[in-house]
C-alpha cells in the first residue's frame, strides 16, 4: 500500500538522512538509506572498544567526533577522514575473531577488524582502541536501529553560537523531518506505526540526551549549552530508560525497505 494512502496521515517529509559507518564519529548526509531487520546498511557497522571490552562512545570521549566514516558494502571498503582530507580507504578483513559486547539494550556479536585504524584511533584519543565490526549488518546502534527528529524541534532549541540553525548532527539521528505541525510533535507518535519510503517502522519513545550533544561536531567547541537549553525549553521528560533530558525519538523496524530524501512519513491510525 502506498505511503500516502488515505488510511494514513502524512505528518512530515524526510529533509535529511545522516549516517556514520563507525559509532562515535560524526554523521554524514546521504540521499538514501537501506533499512534491514538488523539496522541501516552502512550505518554503525563498526565500533571501537577498549581492552576491557568497553565500547568507545561520544559520552566517554569525543576525540573521534570530528572525523567522518563511510562504508560501502558492495566494495567492502572503509573510508575515514576529516573535512576534505581522507585518512583511510581500506578493505575490511573478514577473518578476525568474534566476541560478545554489551550495548545499552543487549549483548551483540562483533568481529575484530585489525588494520591501520587501531593505531590511528589510539593516538587520537590517547586510549588503546581496537575496531570491531558488527556481525549483524548495521547492528552497532545503542538501543534501536532507527532514530528521528524534526526541523521544528531543532528550531525550538535556538541557534548555534554563530547564529546559524542548530546543527542537526549534534543529535546523530538518521532521519530529520520537515513539514511537521509543531516542535516536539514526534513525541506524540509513540507506539504508532508509520510508512516512510518502502520501510514500515514503529515509532518508539523519546531519546535521552547525553553530554555528546554538547560538542559541536565540527570543532568540538562547547559554547552552546545544549542540555541546559533542552531543560529550559521543555524540561526533563520520561522514557523507556527513566527520567532525563529528551530530544528526538527511537523507531524499530517492522518491515525493511528504502528511505529517500523527500519521502513522506505517514502514520497509521492510532
Amino acid at each position: 500500500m502506498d505511503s500516502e494512502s488515505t488510511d494514513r496521515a502524512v505528518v512530515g517529509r524526510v529533509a535529511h538522512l545522516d549516517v556514520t559507518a563507525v559509532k562515535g564519529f560524526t554523521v554524514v548526509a546521504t540521499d538514501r538509506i537501506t533499512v534491514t531487520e538488523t539496522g541501516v546498511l552502512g550505518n554503525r557497522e563498526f565500533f571501537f572498544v577498549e581492552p576491557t571490552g568497553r565500547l568507545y562512545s561520544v559520552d566517554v570521549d569525543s576525540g573521534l567526533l570530528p572525523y567522518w566514516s563511510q562504508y560501502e558494502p558492495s566494495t567492502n571498503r572503509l573510508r575515514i577522514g576529516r573535512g576534505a582530507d581522507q585518512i583511510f580507504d581500506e578493505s575490511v578483513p573478514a577473518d578476525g575473531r568474534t566476541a560478545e559486547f554489551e550495548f545499552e539494550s543487549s549483548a551483540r556479536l562483533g568481529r575484530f577488524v585489525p588494520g591501520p585504524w587501531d593505531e590511528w584511533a589510539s593516538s587520537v584519543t590517547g586510549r588503546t582502541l581496537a575496531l570491531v565490526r558488527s556481525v549483524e549488518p548495521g547492528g552497532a546502534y545503542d538501543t534501536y536501529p532507527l532514530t528521528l527528529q524534526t526541523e521544528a524541534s531543532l528550531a525550538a532549541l535556538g541557534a548555534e553560537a554563530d547564529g546559524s540553525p542548530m546543527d542537526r548532527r549534534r543529535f546523530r539521528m538518521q532521519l530529520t523531518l520537515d513539514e511537521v505541525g509543531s516542535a516536539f510533535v514526534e513525541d506524540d507518535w509513540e507506539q504508532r506505526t508509520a510508512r516512510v519510503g518502502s520501510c514500515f517502522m514503529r515509532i518508539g519513545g523519546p531519546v535521552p540526551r547525553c553530554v555528546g550533544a554538547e560538542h559541536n561536531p565540527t570543532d568540538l567547541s562547547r559554547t552552546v549549552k545544549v542540555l541546559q537549553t533542552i531543560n529550559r525549553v521543555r524540561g526533563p521528560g520520561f522514557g523507556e530508560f527513566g527520567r532525563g533530558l529528551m530530544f528526538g525519538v527511537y523507531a524499530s523496524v517492522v518491515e525493511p525497505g528504502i528511505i529517500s530524501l523527500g519521502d513522506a512519513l505517514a502514520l497509521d491510525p492510532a
Side-chain angles (χ1 to χ4, degrees), residues 7-8 19 24 50 56 80 84 93 102 112 114 118 120 145 162 169 171 183 190 202 206 211 217 224 229 233 259 270:
D7 66 343
R8 297 191 178 98
V19 297
E50 298 185 67
Y56 173 92
I80 292 173
E102 291 292 333
F112 284 92
D118 288 0
W120 167 79
D162 62 1
R169 299 177 301 160
F171 301 101
E190 187 172 359
R202 184 180 301 279
V211 70
V224 179
T229 301
V233 170
I259 301 174

Side-chain angles (χ1 to χ4, degrees), residues 125-147:
T125 63
R127 301 169 180 269
T128 301
L129 297 177
L131 188 66
V132 180
R133 181 179 181 181
S134 172
V135 168
E136 293 186 333
Y141 55 85
D142 285 322
T143 308
Y144 288 94
L146 292 170
T147 52

Side-chain angles (χ1 to χ4, degrees), residues 87-142:
I87 300 170
F88 297 113
D89 182 357
E90 302 285 339
S91 180
V92 178
D95 56 353
R97 66 179 178 88
T98 59
E100 191 172 72
F101 300 92
E102 291 292 333
F103 284 75
E104 288 183 7
S105 60
S106 63
R108 294 178 216 151
L109 283 177
R111 184 182 304 278
F112 284 92
V113 284
W117 32 68
D118 288 0
E119 182 179 357
W120 167 79
S122 299
S123 67
V124 169
T125 63
R127 301 169 180 269
T128 301
L129 297 177
L131 188 66
V132 180
R133 181 179 181 181
S134 172
V135 168
E136 293 186 333
Y141 55 85
D142 285 322

Side-chain angles (χ1 to χ4, degrees), residues 216-237:
N216 182 296
T218 299
D219 61 12
L220 296 184
S221 63
R222 299 185 63 177
T223 307
V224 179
K225 304 302 182 184
V226 173
L227 297 182
Q228 290 182 20
T229 301
I230 295 173
N231 188 51
R232 174 176 53 81
V233 170
R234 61 182 323 208

Side-chain angles (χ1 to χ4, degrees), residues 6-78:
T6 56
D7 66 343
R8 297 191 178 98
V10 174
V11 295
R13 291 188 180 274
V14 179
H16 304 282
L17 293 167
D18 296 291
V19 297
T20 175
V22 184
K23 175 179 169 62
F25 284 43
T26 191
V27 293
V28 295
T30 185
D31 294 336
R32 174 181 295 186
I33 60 173
T34 299
V35 182
T36 73
E37 292 180 352
T38 60
V40 177
L41 291 184
N43 180 61
R44 292 169 172 82
E45 297 275 358
F46 304 88
F47 54 99
F48 280 102
V49 298
E50 298 185 67
T52 60
R54 183 175 75 157
L55 274 62
Y56 173 92
S57 61
V58 175
D59 59 340
V60 171
D61 185 320
S62 61
L64 297 178
L65 184 57
Y67 296 89
W68 53 261
S69 59
Q70 294 176 313
Y71 175 70
E72 177 51 58
S74 64
T75 60
N76 190 39
R77 297 190 73 82
L78 175 63

Side-chain angles (χ1 to χ4, degrees), residues 126-233:
R127 301 169 180 269
T128 301
L129 297 177
L131 188 66
V132 180
R133 181 179 181 181
S134 172
V135 168
E136 293 186 333
Y141 55 85
D142 285 322
T143 308
Y144 288 94
L146 292 170
T147 52
L148 65 90
Q149 62 193 356
T150 67
E151 294 274 27
S153 298
L154 286 166
L157 299 185
E160 294 288 341
D162 62 1
S164 62
M166 183 66 68
D167 193 331
R168 70 181 189 275
R169 299 177 301 160
R170 287 180 177 273
F171 301 101
R172 310 174 56 70
M173 297 199 156
Q174 286 81 62
L175 281 74
T176 302
L177 305 180
D178 62 5
E179 300 182 24
V180 298
S182 59
F184 312 119
V185 67
E186 58 268 33
D187 293 345
D188 299 333
W189 303 340
E190 187 172 359
Q191 297 307 314
R192 301 277 295 278
T193 51
R195 279 283 183 187
V196 55
S198 60
C199 179
F200 191 28
M201 66 178 68
R202 184 180 301 279
I203 309 299
V207 180
R209 307 315 316 192
C210 69
V211 70
E214 295 275 286
H215 299 279
N216 182 296
T218 299
D219 61 12
L220 296 184
S221 63
R222 299 185 63 177
T223 307
V224 179
K225 304 302 182 184
V226 173
L227 297 182
Q228 290 182 20
T229 301
I230 295 173
N231 188 51
R232 174 176 53 81
V233 170

